[in-house]
């Protein structure tokens, strides 16, 4: 491991001497603790955070239900590919050894790795017989080449930038300050008053995992008939 230490430190953006890094972490932890301690909706008991869910803003549930009924149903792999057609976040992921060649079906393989890891299902449900982009050897090799820190950081930065250009998300829904992981907890009243009604019920995260590119890349799907059966796929 010692022979690879410098390359690991470079990839992680760390210095050889851990003292400065540990000091930065200690300061970040102290600042986060003080911020949480000042939140009346959160208490610390026995060393554990005890958040209290606050009531939803007036009209939120009705807005959420109306939006949810109209959102097109979509499988998670197809969502990843569709977002890529809008943002190009797969294209900005560099190949760690430096290869510039990109296979025509590279995006399918990248979506496969994301599904396997983000859903924590492993590669077995993602591998597809007869699809070269979704063989086990292809996915394992691609994960090593495109999904180290640099690749994930580049893709994430692209998505954050694209999100900042969506006016309704930045100005009206959450102000761009709330991650989906935050849920309904530990956020101030000025943000709670304009929470996004978009959650994830319209996305199928588990199943057969079809990897199909959008028929019209870059275009938006039409809204769904709110009276349609909930299990209908658009």
């Amino acid at each position: 491991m010692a022979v690879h230490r410098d390359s690991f430190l470079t990839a992680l953006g760390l210095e050889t001497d851990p003292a400065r890094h540990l000091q930065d972490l200690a300061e970040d932890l102290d600042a986060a603790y003080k911020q949480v301690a000042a939140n009346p909706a959160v208490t610390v008991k026995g060393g554990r955070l005890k958040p209290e869910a606050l009531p939803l803003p007036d009209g939120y549930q009705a807005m959420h239900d109306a939006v949810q009924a109209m959102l097109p149903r979509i499988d998670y792999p197809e969502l990843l590919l569709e977002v890529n057609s809008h943002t190009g976040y797969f294209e900005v992921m560099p190949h760690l050894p430096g290869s510039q060649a990109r296979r025509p079906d590279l995006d399918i393989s990248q979506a496969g790795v994301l599904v396997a890891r983000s859903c924590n299902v492993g590669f077995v449900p993602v591998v597809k017989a007869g699809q070269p982009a979704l063989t086990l050897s292809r996915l394992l090799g691609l994960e090593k080449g495109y999904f180290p820190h640099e690749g994930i950081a580049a893709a994430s930065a692209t998505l954050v930038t694209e999100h900042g250009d969506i006016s309704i998300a930045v100005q009206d829904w959450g102000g761009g300050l709330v991650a989906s992981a935050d849920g309904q907890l530990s956020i101030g009243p000025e943000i709670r008053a304009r929470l996004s009604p978009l959650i994830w019920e319209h996305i199928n995260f588990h199943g057969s995992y079809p990897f199909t590119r959008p028929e019209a890349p870059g275009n938006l799907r039409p809204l769904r008939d709110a009276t349609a059966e909930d299990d209908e796929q658009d």
Side-chain angles (χ1 to χ4, degrees), residues 37-122:
N39 190 326
V42 179
T43 57
V44 180
K45 295 182 179 179
R48 295 177 177 271
L49 289 178
K50 298 290 184 179
E52 298 179 8
L54 299 175
L56 292 169
D58 292 341
Y60 174 84
Q61 192 62 53
M63 174 64 75
H64 166 267
D65 293 346
V67 171
Q68 172 61 26
M70 293 186 292
L71 286 175
R73 304 304 187 249
I74 188 170
D75 288 298
Y76 182 44
E78 294 177 329
L79 175 63
L80 296 175
L81 292 166
E82 192 158 318
V83 171
N84 180 59
S85 77
H86 288 282
T87 66
Y89 71 102
F90 282 154
E91 283 76 5
V92 302
M93 299 177 75
H95 187 252
L96 190 59
S99 173
Q100 299 298 315
R102 300 184 74 89
R103 298 170 183 258
D105 56 1
L106 179 61
D107 58 331
I108 301 292
S109 302
Q110 289 170 306
V113 172
L114 275 181
V115 169
R117 295 313 185 199
S118 61
C119 289
N120 199 29
V121 296

Side-chain angles (χ1 to χ4, degrees), residues 4-197:
H4 300 295
R5 183 184 63 179
D6 290 343
S7 60
F8 287 157
L9 291 174
T10 299
L12 295 172
L14 299 176
E15 300 176 3
T16 304
D17 184 0
R20 175 61 183 274
H21 181 59
L22 292 175
Q23 179 62 31
D24 290 341
L25 291 177
E27 293 175 358
D28 290 343
L29 179 61
D30 181 65
Y33 179 82
K34 290 177 179 177
Q35 181 181 10
V36 171
N39 190 326
V42 179
T43 57
V44 180
K45 295 182 179 179
R48 295 177 177 271
L49 289 178
K50 298 290 184 179
E52 298 179 8
L54 299 175
L56 292 169
D58 292 341
Y60 174 84
Q61 192 62 53
M63 174 64 75
H64 166 267
D65 293 346
V67 171
Q68 172 61 26
M70 293 186 292
L71 286 175
R73 304 304 187 249
I74 188 170
D75 288 298
Y76 182 44
E78 294 177 329
L79 175 63
L80 296 175
L81 292 166
E82 192 158 318
V83 171
N84 180 59
S85 77
H86 288 282
T87 66
Y89 71 102
F90 282 154
E91 283 76 5
V92 302
M93 299 177 75
H95 187 252
L96 190 59
S99 173
Q100 299 298 315
R102 300 184 74 89
R103 298 170 183 258
D105 56 1
L106 179 61
D107 58 331
I108 301 292
S109 302
Q110 289 170 306
V113 172
L114 275 181
V115 169
R117 295 313 185 199
S118 61
C119 289
N120 199 29
V121 296
F123 287 120
V124 172
V126 175
V127 170
K128 304 290 184 184
Q131 286 191 247
L134 295 172
T135 62
L136 180 59
S137 59
R138 175 81 175 275
L139 294 173
L140 288 171
L142 186 138
E143 181 179 31
K144 294 179 180 178
Y146 286 94
F147 284 85
H149 169 76
E150 295 91 340
I152 296 173
S156 298
T158 297
L159 291 174
V160 170
T161 299
E162 292 288 336
H163 182 269
D165 291 334
I166 303 175
S167 60
I168 193 171
V170 175
Q171 298 173 13
D172 300 311
W173 289 348
L177 302 175
V178 183
S180 59
D182 293 329
Q184 308 298 328
L185 305 174
S186 307
I187 55 178
E190 71 284 354
I191 296 178
R192 290 187 58 78
R194 47 194 177 96
L195 289 176
S196 168

